[in-house]
Amino acid sequence: MTVQYVTELAEELERYLGDPHDPANQMSFQRILRCDELEEFPHDLLGLLQRWALHEYCLPAKWGGRAGDVETGFSLLRLVARRDPTTAAALMLTDLAFMPTWIAGTDEQRTRLVSQINNGAKLAWGLSERAHGSDVLSNEMRAEKVDGGYLLTGEKYLIGNATLADMVTVHARTGERGGPGDWSIFLVEKRLGPAGAVRELPNERLHGLRALDLSGIQLEKFFVPDSHRIGAEGQGLEMVLKSAQVARTTISGLALGAVDTALRVTCDFIVTREIFGQHVVDFPYTRRQIAESFADLLLSEAVATGAVRGLQAAPEQIAVDSAIVKYFVPTSLERTMTQLSEVLGARLYLRDHPHYAIFQKMLRDIVVSVFADGNTVVNLKSVGAQLEQILSAANSATAEQRSAAAEKVARSYDLDAKLDEWQPAQQQLFSRAGDAAILALPQAITDLRALAATREGEQRGWFEQSADLAERLLGELDRILLEQQRAKQTLGRGYGASAEIYRLAEQYCALHAAAALIHLVVRSEAVLAPPFPDGAVLLLCLERIWRGFHPADPVTDAVVVDRVMTVLLDLHRERKLFSHWQFQLQASGETTA
């Protein structure tokens, strides 16, 4: 899909939903907060989105949906999340539960299930269990083979939509050999079981996403016909891992949407609030805090962009991309929310304020992006497990390999590049060719210098400084490689579970984020609307990464911060998404001091 298409569609959705600060609108913050306070599932809000057919943009067009590129559905759900992460999560849960069918189902299963979803059916993804959490290979639900199907017995716990779902996609044991082939996936239609075969567990009260249905189910010899097994017997773990790659990538949209709203209402505050004889926006420390928050948001968007588009452009390396985005984006944006909280001050605590009450909901809701579908530790472990291969590939890459990586990067980060049809079955469980974003970084830095040469004045200088800083960041890669080799040699068998490997994985994720932003800037420069790309914004973003390695070595000054604030406040005044996309939003600012 082209930038024009996604932009027009996103802005059509925004117009349909209206200004969230207007209580008269159906998806207003007032109504959203009322659902949250009452812990009342947002049936009306989901119905509103379904009438617009938003869910169809997340379902394959071949079998009755409208999905073409993953990016389209991702962008739309991001706009929903900037209003209500709970409603966005409820929609995503049905999409996630459909993923095994999209990956390995028959055409008949796919067509039937898409039709049911289009007709309002809700799905739940029955993966986790009370005693095992992320350790899915220890799950205890059994599927006993009988004539014509299977009898499922066991419990699934802390799964979204469990009580409300019409169907649950269930991960269950079908073998006892003790290997990865012991698991299969089944579609449980709750209404087809006899009384007592399905028991819904009590809904858990939540800190964030209070209106979400998060509960569980217990099955007792529930009969599932052979036609409701998804994929081959023993293929379950593969489908789980590929579905997780999609979930870990797309859930970043919830965090991006939440922070957009949090930053927006904080900007409303700083431009209207006067204290000590001046507006809060004019305090230098506040300006840097806000500018850095904007930079964190754009960095996170770049990482998410590469991963989301990479589902189609580079499915062979999504194992590393999905783990990086799931670690980096929630971790960075949690920090951003804390920084914005310091600026907003006491208004953070006002649950009934007509304008700022939404901030405390976003602050609570964003946490779901940290732990859902693999928490921070799980994803760092995944990056760490692949780190030796990734670093080795980067260290020994030939010119041909770097050229191939540059081609992948071109598809992943040029927002107007045409992508092949998404086929999630093609996703790989381990990245054998390394990380294209890092492999192609030297060429991207060269391209960045060429871009700098087309600019004048301060902009030219900022782009040149950005290229210089990128070179210094690239040098950190050599240090990480040396430390990784030293740790493996020193720790021996304990290397894979050591704290050191997690620390190095954190640092690698930061370098990947810097590379992602540079690729987005140089590959999409021709299709980004002014003021992007902007040299000061890029430099401040890269400084955010650099100071993670060298906290006492600043790069930017007050002039850079002032320019970043100009970009941000222009977007704020014009009601544009805080994003390289710059979708026109339906929004209004605070009207009282």
Side-chain angles (χ1 to χ4, degrees):
M1 303 297 177
T2 63
V3 168
Q4 181 180 354
Y5 171 82
V6 176
T7 300
E8 289 176 354
L9 190 64
E11 293 179 353
E12 179 187 330
L13 175 62
E14 272 290 307
R15 289 191 296 273
Y16 172 75
L17 296 176
D19 178 7
H21 285 291
D22 182 355
N25 283 325
Q26 293 185 74
M27 202 168 185
S28 67
F29 286 144
Q30 184 181 82
R31 176 172 292 196
I32 289 163
L33 287 166
R34 184 166 63 248
C35 285
D36 193 67
E37 287 288 331
L38 297 176
E39 301 178 28
E40 183 179 279
F41 189 83
H43 292 287
D44 290 348
L45 303 183
L46 281 174
L48 180 70
L49 297 173
Q50 287 168 331
R51 287 192 290 277
W52 191 82
L54 188 148
H55 60 287
E56 295 184 22
Y57 291 96
C58 302
L59 298 171
K62 184 176 181 180
W63 295 291
R66 303 190 191 191
D69 292 337
V70 187
E71 191 168 50
T72 302
F74 177 82
S75 295
L76 296 176
L77 284 170
R78 176 180 178 179
L79 292 180
V80 173
R82 89 171 189 88
R83 297 162 182 270
D84 184 20
T86 304
T87 303
L91 276 171
M92 291 178 68
L93 286 166
T94 289
D95 298 335
L96 174 59
F98 174 73
M99 282 309 305
T101 304
W102 193 339
I103 291 167
T106 65
D107 284 355
E108 181 181 355
Q109 289 172 329
R110 291 160 173 160
T111 301
R112 177 174 173 269
L113 196 50
V114 169
S115 175
Q116 289 176 305
I117 295 171
N118 284 343
N119 288 327
K122 296 180 179 65
L123 273 66
W125 179 213
L127 178 60
S128 64
E129 296 184 6
R130 189 184 303 267
H132 307 298
S134 298
D135 184 10
V136 296
L137 291 181
S138 294
N139 281 354
E140 299 175 36
M141 180 165 286
R142 294 293 198 277
E144 176 190 353
K145 188 72 180 79
V146 294
D147 288 344
Y150 298 80
L151 294 177
L152 270 62
T153 300
E155 178 187 273
K156 294 295 178 181
Y157 174 69
L158 283 189
I159 57 175
N161 284 355
T163 299
L164 296 172
D166 303 283
M167 292 165 278
V168 184
T169 306
V170 171
H171 170 260
R173 182 183 290 275
T174 49
E176 300 293 342
R177 292 164 294 183
D182 285 347
W183 308 95
S184 302
I185 302 291
F186 302 90
L187 184 65
V188 172
E189 293 195 49
K190 292 193 291 185
R191 64 183 179 79
L192 298 183
V198 181
R199 185 167 78 89
E200 284 95 358
L201 301 176
N203 193 27
E204 295 289 348
R205 300 190 68 193
L206 305 176
H207 173 69
L209 303 184
R210 291 176 176 173
L212 192 69
D213 170 22
L214 189 69
S215 49
I217 60 167
Q218 290 178 343
L219 304 179
E220 181 62 38
K221 294 188 180 301
F222 187 101
F223 177 75
V224 177
D226 288 326
S227 62
H228 281 42
R229 189 191 69 223
I230 308 300
E233 188 172 297
Q235 195 181 355
L237 182 61
E238 175 191 347
M239 285 184 277
V240 164
L241 294 176
K242 289 181 178 179
S243 297
Q245 290 172 346
V246 178
R248 291 172 181 180
T249 300
T250 55
I251 199 173
S252 61
L254 268 66
L256 294 171
V259 171
D260 183 273
T261 291
L263 179 56
R264 194 167 302 278
V265 296
T266 305
C267 285
D268 292 343
F269 171 72
I270 64 173
V271 300
T272 57
R273 174 68 168 170
E274 289 188 33
I275 189 169
F276 303 127
Q278 61 181 324
H279 285 98
V280 174
V281 71
D282 295 324
F283 289 101
Y285 181 60
T286 298
R287 292 176 71 78
R288 178 165 279 276
Q289 283 183 299
I290 295 294
E292 288 178 347
S293 297
F294 182 43
D296 287 344
L297 182 56
L298 294 180
L299 268 170
S300 294
E301 178 184 58
V303 175
T305 296
V308 167
R309 292 179 62 85
L311 286 164
Q312 293 169 253
E316 68 280 1
Q317 75 156 54
I318 195 61
V320 63
D321 283 352
S322 61
I324 290 174
V325 70
K326 184 60 170 64
Y327 162 72
F328 184 85
V329 172
T331 302
S332 298
L333 295 185
E334 260 202 312
R335 177 187 65 190
T336 302
M337 291 294 281
T338 299
Q339 192 153 308
L340 291 174
S341 298
E342 294 174 0
V343 175
L344 195 58
R347 280 161 179 74
L348 157 68
Y349 294 96
L350 304 181
R351 290 169 60 185
D352 291 327
H353 192 284
H355 196 81
Y356 299 110
I358 194 63
F359 188 100
Q360 50 86 21
K361 174 174 163 56
M362 295 300 175
L363 184 64
R364 289 183 283 105
D365 287 357
I366 196 174
V367 179
V368 72
S369 65
V370 176
F371 67 81
D373 296 298
N375 60 28
T376 297
V377 174
V378 168
N379 286 282
L380 278 179
K381 181 178 181 180
S382 178
V383 176
Q386 301 175 79
L387 192 58
E388 182 176 7
Q389 168 65 25
I390 294 170
L391 292 172
S392 176
N395 186 56
S396 61
T398 64
E400 183 179 0
Q401 290 169 327
R402 292 191 184 277
S403 177
E407 291 180 8
K408 293 177 187 176
V409 161
R411 294 192 299 272
S412 296
Y413 293 95
D414 178 353
L415 298 180
D416 232 24
K418 182 176 175 55
L419 300 174
D420 295 333
E421 179 185 356
W422 184 30
Q423 299 183 47
Q426 293 182 352
Q427 294 165 203
Q428 299 298 305
L429 303 182
F430 193 84
S431 179
R432 294 174 174 81
D435 180 357
I438 293 295
L439 288 172
L441 183 54
Q443 180 59 52
I445 295 173
T446 299
D447 294 339
L448 184 58
R449 294 194 186 282
L451 175 60
T454 68
R455 299 302 198 262
E456 297 179 350
E458 288 180 320
Q459 283 290 331
R460 181 170 187 164
W462 289 328
F463 276 115
E464 288 175 345
Q465 280 183 269
S466 296
D468 292 341
L469 186 55
E471 291 278 9
R472 295 162 70 187
L473 284 168
L474 189 57
E476 294 291 330
L477 190 67
D478 295 330
R479 178 189 55 76
I480 292 174
L481 174 60
L482 289 173
E483 291 191 19
Q484 181 270 326
Q485 292 172 337
R486 188 182 303 120
K488 184 176 182 182
Q489 189 175 44
T490 303
L491 299 173
R493 291 182 178 179
Y495 162 78
S498 67
E500 183 70 8
I501 195 65
Y502 285 85
R503 183 181 68 83
L504 293 174
E506 288 176 344
Q507 295 178 17
Y508 184 83
C509 290
L511 291 182
H512 176 98
L517 184 63
I518 293 169
H519 290 312
L520 183 61
V521 165
V522 299
R523 295 295 182 178
S524 290
E525 183 265 338
V527 297
L528 295 177
F532 295 115
D534 183 274
V537 172
L538 175 60
L539 184 59
L540 184 61
C541 289
L542 294 180
E543 183 191 51
R544 298 294 283 162
I545 300 298
W546 176 252
R547 304 237 1 216
F549 294 104
H550 303 280
D553 185 13
V555 175
T556 62
D557 57 17
V559 176
V560 170
V561 171
D562 286 345
R563 171 57 191 172
V564 174
M565 285 299 294
T566 296
V567 173
L568 171 63
L569 293 176
D570 283 349
L571 292 174
H572 174 252
R573 184 180 62 256
E574 295 168 9
R575 310 304 179 199
K576 299 284 186 69
L577 189 68
F578 295 139
S579 161
H580 292 92
W581 286 95
Q582 299 184 64
F583 299 144
Q584 182 65 58
L585 302 180
Q586 302 299 303
S588 59
E590 173 64 295
T591 56
T592 59

